[in-house]
Amino acid sequence: QVQLLQSGAEVKKPGSSVKVSCKTSGGTFSNYAISWVRQAPGQGLEWMGVIIPLFGTATYAQKFQGRVTITTDESTSTAYMELSSLISEDTAIYYCARDGSSWLNYWGQGTLVIVSS
Amino acid sequence: DVVMTQSPFSLPVTLGQPASISCRSSQSLVHSDGNTYLNWFQQRPGQSPRRLIYKVSNRDSGVPDRFSGSGSGTDFTLKISRVEAEDVGVYYCMQGTHWPPLTFGGGTKVEIK
């Protein structure tokens, strides 16, 4: 059974960075793409980027280019999403989601990031 | 970017009655590999999204058969044959054919009358 376990909630100052982790279990970590999706309070879903651990290169939504970095650690089957230069509009729940049969099959429980001075 | 437009925004339904959600894309979602990468997700209050349907009409494991997906090209539909109380939440369509980025519809809130 595939499970994705994310790190805990964060409170950050504007201008700082946040790094969220997503530890996976079940299945072969390297073979499946892992995306990051965020959801601002009361809003819809917004895709940020994706990485396939086997290839190690990430692809990002243009909106986040230069500000987001997605990486993986195959030794721990963990994916990471780092977002820099935080502003209040980055306050959201951040989800990791792994592919299975097609996009975004399995989801983590979400990590709340609050950006506030 | 492909724009996904869902309707209605809100859908009040009587228990046991059917419900239908529409999703339209700004361009055809048929991929050059022949697949159509259109998924549906359910997000219950306070929970993470859960995928229900992938590639238009394939139900995910554990998803009740009262949920069905259909459509082609630019027009897609999610149907619930008989709404149950546990179906309350927001439903999103998403396209994965023309990426980056993956894009989602704005969501349809299903509630019980």
Side-chain angles (χ1 to χ4, degrees):
Chain A
Q1 184 180 359
V2 177
Q3 292 187 313
L4 284 70
L5 184 62
Q6 297 183 224
S7 49
E10 304 260 15
V11 179
K12 293 292 183 179
K13 299 286 189 188
S16 67
S17 298
V18 66
K19 191 170 186 177
V20 180
S21 68
C22 171
K23 184 173 176 61
T24 72
S25 59
T28 303
F29 178 73
S30 299
N31 293 353
Y32 296 97
I34 296 177
S35 287
W36 289 88
V37 176
R38 77 177 186 179
Q39 186 171 38
Q43 301 301 308
L45 302 171
E46 182 175 35
W47 182 80
M48 301 177 69
V50 63
I51 190 167
I52 302 175
L54 184 65
F55 302 128
T57 55
T59 301
Y60 305 116
Q62 189 164 9
K63 174 177 178 176
F64 300 101
Q65 282 277 1
R67 225 168 46 98
V68 68
T69 304
I70 297 174
T71 57
T72 58
D73 181 345
E74 292 197 52
S75 69
T76 59
S77 299
T78 302
Y80 299 91
M81 186 282 301
E82 184 169 20
L83 188 63
S84 62
S85 302
L86 291 170
I87 59 176
S88 59
E89 288 77 11
D90 292 320
T91 293
I93 298 175
Y94 290 77
Y95 296 101
C96 59
R98 203 208 81 170
D99 287 4
S101 43
S102 200
W103 292 102
L104 309 184
N105 198 169
Y106 307 98
W107 291 66
Q109 84 277 20
T111 297
L112 175 62
V113 175
I114 297 172
V115 182
S116 174
S117 54
Chain B
D1 297 355
V2 176
V3 177
M4 305 297 289
T5 303
Q6 284 184 236
S7 61
F9 175 77
S10 177
L11 185 56
V13 187
T14 301
L15 287 173
Q17 293 300 301
S20 180
I21 300 170
S22 172
C23 176
R24 290 185 173 175
S25 57
S26 59
Q27 57 185 280
S28 172
L29 298 186
V30 180
H31 193 276
S32 56
D33 67 6
N35 289 305
T36 299
Y37 295 98
L38 185 285
N39 295 349
W40 288 96
F41 299 87
Q42 174 195 60
Q43 188 174 32
R44 291 170 171 154
Q47 295 189 12
S48 300
R50 168 199 183 196
R51 198 178 74 182
L52 300 176
I53 303 284
Y54 64 96
K55 288 191 277 187
V56 181
S57 59
N58 297 277
R59 226 176 1 255
D60 272 289
S61 175
V63 174
D65 61 8
R66 63 179 181 274
F67 290 94
S68 64
S70 63
S72 63
T74 61
D75 288 344
F76 304 92
T77 303
L78 176 70
K79 291 183 179 177
I80 311 173
S81 58
R82 294 173 305 279
V83 171
E84 298 190 6
E86 66 178 18
D87 300 336
V88 165
V90 181
Y91 291 77
Y92 297 94
C93 60
M94 182 222 83
Q95 71 82 25
T97 296
H98 304 289
W99 71 282
L102 303 184
T103 50
F104 293 87
T108 295
K109 186 175 184 178
V110 171
E111 55 188 12
I112 305 301
K113 278 183 186 176

